């Protein structure tokens, strides 16, 4: 049996893993042999430095003891105490646990345990407080023990996972290494089996470091190959060459009601260069809310229009599409080009849509602003040369595929996003994407007063909300759709907050919006808010995208800690869009005022810096878009280690460019497989 086991075998084929354990593992998402051996420990208990009782000093200690006399009792205020006596050949010591009544039953007396905890004074006597215990018999290696601790759930214990992993390793002793052996030698990385073994059963911290190095090397190496491969595939396509017309650009800039920022100038210049090549542009333009991405995109479209080719400008919602349409027609009117622009959104009548489609078909319209509806309609764009995708939280690839007219030419693609991607992530995930940033904001709007508020002080927020609405200003309240709370009833979900506020502010007009509403209703609520037919809107983060309501002066966000910093910063960008004084409240439980992550929002007003903080504190999963690539399961890369990422990328690049990849079937397959789920090309 064991000879036929591969990495993809179901775990239930492994001796020692029955159906019950198999199901328990599956509840953690561990189905195959590969899932299990790549199940990275969350942390390690280090028992490699054991101290005998006679040598105990106050502080953290690790030791090996036999435990006896386990007694549990309740003392005042429902506090539970478990006490036990631990001993070794040199003496004995008291162990104390607070509020862990299960200890009394779970501890086996008379056998050896590894014990780690704080040795400190308690009721005038030194004891080990709340120690962690591990049965000595559970250890794979008796000496130098560094024990992995895995994330578990109620179906399975850490020890069951350890045992299962050991079982797997006993049977799958030879995992095939997909890295070419030359490369392993050259880069001095460990071979895969050793690395994985040391990940789970390290005998020293150095072993562990080497294992992690190899496994993070793998991650960056394969992702880079995927990027390079995708870039190569893109190169097989062609786009229209859009020549730069300097007189037109100057004329347009001269007619603008403002002066372009230096950032805008630099970015437009880069885009013009891209457009002059037949290599399809694949550029992401990042910039904080209000940094002026729209005009940059429009200037690019202008050159395409000048060639009598067509541009599609996709917005995430109808409200935004209409806003863009209005801004754009106004700006293009000065060049007498407004008749070349039109709008196509879902709520238009069939007749209206047909008219637009006809005019698109005849190439009368050169720039069409629209929503997803545009992709669903059967639109003929025979001269499509350029696609702009605004705030879609995806990178426009699918859209480009859908709009592609013929197989020889694909449109240039420009994606606009207010969500900043930290450098290290950009390098790792978006290697095939050219990225530009608008690093300055044109008219630094009124500073928004930002406060972190605990729910106990929620009335101070309500006071401001009431005052502002009385002044005729508008308010955003944002909360999660549902909150799962393990202590009873959920409360801060969008419905409860809406009900609460309706009760508190009966004289004002309140609206409710969340992602579960049909698109039409969402649009309707948003439109009412834009027209000031609503004073306050309670919403989930669906309002996040760039809608402009200059009269809104308050943003109050419940359960702030459940959101990413960049996202919170984006929400804050919804207010302070006029010279009205504005207020942003980040609300949370009592601890929120001590939450360093959330507090950085008070200090920083720059999306890029905030994104870096989020990456450090929450990891890459915190960034949208990544989950859609099916590549979020990067477990080992330290994204703070930019020089490591760069050096591995360089190795991969050389490997790719010398055509080595084709020679290694296993690695090549792996890259192809990743490439097909990663749809960024
Ligand atoms: P975002 O990057 O968030 O999409 P917009 O493109 O909507 O920002 O621009 C925000 C506002 O700033 C718009 O009203 C736009 O006309 C204005 N704007 C853009 N560039 C400049 C500039 N260089 N100087 C002054 N205002 C500008
Ligand atoms: Mg925008």
């Amino acid at each position: 049996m064991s000879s036929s086991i591969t990495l993809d075998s179901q775990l239930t084929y492994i001796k020692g893993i029955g159906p019950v354990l198999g199901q328990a593992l599956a509840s953690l998402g561990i189905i195959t042999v590969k899932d299990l051996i790549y199940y990275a420990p969350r942390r390690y208990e280090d028992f490699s430095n054991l101290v005998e009782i006679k040598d105990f000093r106050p502080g953290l200690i690790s030791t090996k003891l036999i435990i006896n006399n386990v007694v549990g009792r309740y003392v005042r205020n429902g506090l539970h105490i478990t006490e036990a006596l631990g001993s070794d050949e040199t003496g004995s010591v008291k162990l104390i646990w607070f509020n862990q009544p299960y200890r009394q039953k779970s501890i086996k007396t008379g056998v050896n345990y590894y014990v780690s905890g704080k040795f400190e004074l308690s009721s005038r006597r030194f004891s080990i407080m709340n120690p962690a215990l591990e049965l000595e018999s559970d250890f794979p290696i008796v000496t130098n023990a560094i024990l992995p601790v895995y994330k578990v759930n109620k179906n399975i214990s850490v020890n069951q996972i350890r045992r299962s992993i050991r079982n797997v390793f006993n049977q799958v002793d030879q995992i095939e290494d997909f890295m070419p052996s030359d490369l392993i030698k050259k880069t001095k990385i460990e071979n895969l089996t050793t690395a994985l073994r040391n990940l789970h059963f390290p005998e020293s911290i150095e072993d562990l470091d080497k294992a992690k190095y190899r496994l993070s090397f793998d991650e960056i190496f394969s992702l880079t190959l995927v990027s390079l491969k995708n870039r190569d595939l893109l190169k097989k396509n062609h786009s229209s060459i859009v020549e730069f017309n300097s007189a037109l650009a100057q004329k347009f800039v001269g007619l603008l009601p403002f002066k372009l920022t230096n950032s805008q100038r630099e970015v437009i210049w880069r885009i013009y260069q891209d457009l002059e090549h037949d290599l399809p542009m694949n550029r992401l333009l990042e910039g904080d809310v209000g940094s002026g991405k729209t005009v940059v995109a429009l200037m690019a479209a202008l050159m395409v229009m000048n060639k009598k080719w067509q541009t599609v400008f996709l917005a995430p919602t109808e409200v935004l599409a209409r806003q863009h349409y209005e801004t754009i027609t106004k700006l293009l009117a000065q060049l007498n080009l407004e008749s070349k622009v039109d709008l196509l959104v879902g709520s238009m009548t069939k007749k209206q849509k047909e008219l637009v489609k006809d005019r698109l078909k005849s190439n009368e319209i050169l720039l069409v602003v629209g929503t997803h509806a545009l992709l669903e309609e059967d639109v003929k764009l025979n001269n499509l040369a350029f696609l702009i995708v605004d705030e879609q939280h995806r990178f426009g690839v699918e859209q480009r595929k859908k709009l592609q007219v013929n197989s020889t030419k694909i449109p240039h693609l420009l994606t606009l996003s207010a969500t900043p991607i930290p450098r290290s992530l950009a390098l790792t995930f978006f290697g095939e994407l050219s990225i530009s940033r608008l690093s300055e904001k044109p008219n630094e709007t009124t500073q928004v007063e930002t406060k972190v508020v605990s729910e106990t002080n929620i009335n101070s927020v309500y006071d401001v909300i009431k005052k502002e609405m009385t002044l005729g200003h508008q308010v955003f309240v944002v909360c999660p759709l549902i909150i799962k709370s393990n202590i009873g009833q959920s409360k801060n979900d969008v419905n409860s907050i809406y009900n609460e506020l309706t009760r508190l502010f009966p004289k004002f007009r309140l609206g409710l919006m969340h992602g579960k509403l049909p698109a039409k209703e969402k649009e309707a609520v948003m439109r009412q808010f834009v027209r000031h037919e609503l004073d306050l809107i309670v919403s989930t983060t669906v309002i996040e995208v760039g809608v402009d309501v200059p009269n809104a002066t308050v943003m109050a966000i419940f359960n702030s800690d459940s959101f990413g910093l960049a996202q919170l910063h984006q929400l804050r960008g919804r207010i302070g869009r006029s010279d009205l004084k504005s207020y942003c409240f980040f609300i949370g439980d009592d601890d929120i005022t001590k939450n360093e992550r959330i507090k950085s929002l008070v200090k920083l007003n720059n999306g890029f810096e905030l994104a870096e903080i989020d990456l450090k504190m929450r990891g890459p999963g915190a960034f949208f878009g990544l989950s859609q690539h099916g590549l979020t399961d990067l477990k080992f890369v330290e994204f703070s280690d930019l020089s490591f990422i760069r050096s591995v990328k360089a190795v991969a690049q050389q490997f790719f460019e010398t055509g080595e990849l084709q020679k290694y079937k296993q690695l090549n397959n792996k890259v192809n497989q990743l490439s097909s789920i990663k749809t960024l090309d």
Side-chain angles (χ1 to χ4, degrees):
M1 186 95 197
S2 74
S3 63
S4 65
I5 290 173
T6 69
L7 283 177
D8 294 321
S9 297
Q10 304 261 327
L11 283 169
T12 36
Y13 291 118
I14 300 288
K15 226 163 95 195
I17 300 182
V20 177
L21 184 55
Q23 285 218 336
L25 287 164
S27 72
L28 284 171
I30 305 170
I31 317 282
T32 64
V33 167
K34 184 175 178 195
D35 295 338
L36 186 58
I37 57 183
Y38 274 91
Y39 195 62
R42 225 159 28 112
R43 59 185 177 84
Y44 296 82
E45 291 277 7
D46 187 355
F47 293 105
S48 58
N49 224 334
L50 299 180
V51 185
E52 297 186 312
I53 293 179
K54 71 172 168 44
D55 297 324
F56 276 14
R57 297 284 174 274
L60 282 177
I61 50 108
S62 296
T63 183
K64 189 160 77 174
L65 304 174
I66 289 175
I67 302 180
N68 281 303
N69 305 354
V70 189
V71 182
R73 65 196 150 94
Y74 282 93
V75 292
R76 68 206 136 72
N77 300 337
L79 182 71
H80 186 275
I81 291 187
T82 313
E83 293 187 336
L85 194 68
S87 47
D88 66 10
E89 274 152 22
T90 71
S92 63
V93 62
K94 197 184 228 182
L95 314 177
I96 299 177
W97 293 269
F98 292 114
N99 287 334
Q100 301 180 21
Y102 65 90
R103 290 282 182 192
Q104 197 177 349
K105 275 204 194 121
S106 66
I107 294 171
K108 292 183 189 163
T109 54
V111 296
N112 269 320
Y113 273 99
Y114 287 100
V115 178
S116 79
K118 216 168 183 185
F119 185 58
E120 63 185 0
L121 212 50
S122 166
S123 326
R124 275 175 278 141
R125 185 173 163 184
F126 271 95
S127 312
I128 311 181
M129 308 304 290
N130 295 313
L133 300 184
E134 297 287 351
L135 273 173
E136 183 193 34
S137 54
D138 281 336
F139 272 66
I141 300 143
V142 182
T143 50
N144 287 335
I146 298 171
L147 207 58
V149 181
Y150 301 90
K151 187 169 163 240
V152 290
N153 61 23
K154 62 180 184 339
N155 304 323
I156 190 164
S157 72
V158 172
N159 255 319
Q160 283 175 298
I161 294 187
R162 288 180 192 144
R163 245 176 269 138
S164 308
I165 292 178
R166 226 176 309 155
N167 268 328
V168 167
F169 265 95
N170 288 341
Q171 301 193 45
V172 189
D173 36 28
Q174 214 44 61
I175 301 158
E176 218 181 319
D177 200 332
F178 55 84
M179 280 289 185
S181 52
D182 288 357
L183 199 71
I184 293 181
K185 251 185 238 132
K186 201 176 94 190
T187 54
K188 301 196 179 71
I189 50 176
E190 258 181 337
N191 74 54
L192 188 57
T193 333
T194 315
L196 286 168
R197 198 179 285 280
N198 283 337
L199 179 72
H200 297 290
F201 318 112
E203 289 188 38
S204 67
I205 297 294
E206 291 88 79
D207 279 359
L208 193 54
D209 284 345
K210 272 195 259 168
K212 286 185 181 163
Y213 187 91
R214 159 71 208 244
L215 295 167
S216 39
F217 188 100
D218 285 1
E219 291 179 343
I220 302 285
F221 188 77
S222 15
L223 273 182
T224 306
L225 291 180
V226 173
S227 289
L228 292 167
K229 182 144 196 165
N230 286 346
R231 187 178 280 191
D232 252 25
L233 288 174
L234 192 63
K235 274 188 198 157
K236 295 204 171 79
N237 291 295
H238 300 280
S239 292
S240 306
I241 293 179
V242 184
E243 287 111 9
F244 173 60
N245 180 322
S246 148
L248 180 62
Q250 275 174 21
K251 190 167 173 204
F252 181 80
V253 171
L255 289 167
L256 283 175
F258 45 74
K259 199 166 158 275
L260 291 176
T261 64
N262 287 334
S263 266
Q264 284 172 318
R265 283 173 192 282
E266 276 162 33
V267 172
I268 292 164
W269 182 239
R270 285 307 308 265
I271 295 173
Y272 282 154
Q273 287 178 314
D274 284 359
L275 290 174
E276 288 202 299
H277 288 94
D278 79 332
L279 178 68
M281 169 163 77
N282 198 22
R283 186 169 289 278
L284 169 66
L285 173 54
E286 298 177 299
D288 252 6
V289 271
S291 58
K293 296 183 287 290
T294 321
V295 71
V296 172
L298 180 60
M299 283 189 71
L302 190 62
M303 286 309 146
V304 180
M305 293 171 84
N306 187 45
K307 296 286 294 185
K308 304 271 181 303
W309 290 325
Q310 293 173 310
T311 298
V312 167
F313 193 145
L314 282 183
T317 64
E318 266 199 54
V319 175
L320 263 177
R322 287 179 192 277
Q323 260 178 22
H324 282 325
Y325 174 67
E326 274 158 35
T327 321
I328 288 170
T329 36
K330 234 179 271 162
L331 288 170
L332 290 182
Q334 305 179 337
L335 295 171
N336 295 322
L337 283 171
E338 77 274 24
S339 63
K340 302 282 177 204
V341 186
D342 216 333
L343 179 76
L344 185 67
V345 291
S347 72
M348 287 166 36
T349 64
K350 203 162 180 237
K351 215 169 149 194
Q352 289 171 318
K353 285 182 195 164
E354 287 304 325
L355 191 66
V356 180
K357 284 198 271 182
D358 282 347
R359 296 179 63 212
L360 278 168
K361 199 170 157 192
S362 63
N363 209 34
E364 208 179 313
I365 297 175
L366 297 179
L367 173 59
V368 60
V369 184
T371 54
H372 238 79
L374 214 151
L375 303 178
E376 269 119 51
E377 298 288 333
D378 164 42
V379 186
K380 291 261 170 330
L381 292 152
N382 296 317
N383 294 293
L384 180 67
F386 186 28
L387 172 61
I388 303 164
V389 179
D390 188 28
E391 307 287 0
Q392 279 284 47
H393 288 201
R394 238 178 283 130
F395 294 99
V397 179
E398 286 159 50
Q399 288 89 338
R400 168 148 69 182
K401 271 187 195 138
K402 270 203 175 150
L403 288 170
Q404 186 165 349
V405 196
N406 58 47
S407 53
T408 53
K409 285 232 169 105
I410 66 171
H412 291 289
L413 174 63
L414 177 67
T415 310
L416 314 179
S417 171
T419 301
I421 303 171
R423 284 253 182 262
S424 53
L425 273 192
L427 273 175
T428 317
F429 280 99
F430 307 115
E432 66 268 51
L433 205 61
S434 318
I435 300 183
S436 298
R437 284 183 173 184
L438 290 180
S439 50
E440 51 186 322
K441 270 189 228 173
N443 36 5
E444 199 55 72
T445 36
T446 1
Q447 268 292 314
V448 175
E449 188 175 320
T450 300
K451 280 202 175 125
V452 180
V453 186
S454 82
E455 266 167 47
T456 23
N457 294 325
I458 192 66
N459 284 331
S460 67
V461 177
Y462 291 160
D463 288 345
V464 175
I465 290 181
K466 187 163 183 187
K467 192 185 109 221
E468 286 298 307
M469 289 197 296
T470 310
L471 286 169
H473 303 153
Q474 288 165 277
V475 175
F476 288 107
V477 174
V478 172
C479 28
L481 182 61
I482 25 165
I483 301 198
K484 290 194 197 89
S485 156
N486 41 13
I487 21 171
Q489 203 53 42
S490 72
K491 49 185 176 111
N492 291 342
D493 62 273
V494 38
N495 283 306
S496 333
I497 297 280
Y498 176 72
N499 292 338
E500 165 85 355
L501 292 174
T502 315
R503 193 177 58 75
L504 279 173
F505 305 120
K507 294 215 182 76
F508 294 96
R509 300 160 301 174
L510 273 58
L512 173 65
M513 190 169 83
H514 54 76
K516 288 267 159 74
L517 290 178
K520 269 213 178 105
E521 281 179 48
K522 269 189 289 195
E523 295 278 355
V525 178
M526 205 57 232
R527 210 157 37 231
Q528 281 180 295
F529 192 70
V530 172
R531 293 187 190 140
H532 201 175
E533 293 159 14
L534 292 172
D535 301 301
L536 183 152
I537 186 170
V538 181
S539 171
T540 55
T541 49
V542 289
I543 52 138
E544 161 192 350
V545 284
V547 63
D548 201 12
V549 185
N551 189 47
T553 55
V554 182
M555 168 67 67
I557 303 163
F558 282 85
N559 287 72
S560 321
D561 196 28
S562 58
F563 300 111
L565 290 181
Q567 198 179 13
L568 291 170
H569 177 64
Q570 249 172 290
L571 287 168
R572 173 166 60 186
R574 301 289 111 237
I575 55 167
R577 295 170 87 90
S578 67
D579 37 16
L580 297 171
K581 162 125 209 202
S582 299
Y583 307 86
C584 185
F585 300 104
F586 296 110
I587 304 159
D589 56 20
D590 288 347
D591 290 339
I592 194 99
T593 50
K594 293 185 218 108
N595 186 319
E596 289 307 321
R597 197 175 73 89
I598 299 297
K599 272 162 64 186
S600 53
L601 284 155
V602 180
K603 279 177 261 156
L604 299 176
N605 193 27
N606 176 316
F608 294 115
E609 289 173 44
L610 289 165
E612 295 286 349
I613 293 177
D614 246 2
L615 181 62
K616 269 200 204 97
M617 299 181 80
R618 305 208 313 171
F623 292 84
F624 75 63
L626 301 189
S627 55
Q628 282 139 351
H629 301 141
L631 291 169
T632 26
D633 47 3
L634 292 191
K635 299 181 182 115
F636 303 104
V637 183
E638 285 287 348
F639 281 95
S640 51
D641 197 347
L642 211 53
S643 68
F644 170 74
I645 294 176
R646 287 217 167 94
S647 69
V648 180
K649 278 186 79 87
V651 176
Q653 201 140 8
Q654 202 193 9
F655 183 78
F656 186 82
E657 272 154 19
T658 50
E660 294 282 294
L661 181 58
Q662 307 310 322
K663 293 192 217 148
Y664 299 94
K665 197 162 152 256
Q666 221 194 341
L667 185 60
N668 202 12
N669 284 347
K670 189 179 154 88
V671 168
N672 284 339
Q673 198 191 342
L674 280 172
S675 165
S676 64
I677 49 172
K678 191 183 171 195
T679 48
L680 270 178
D681 49 316

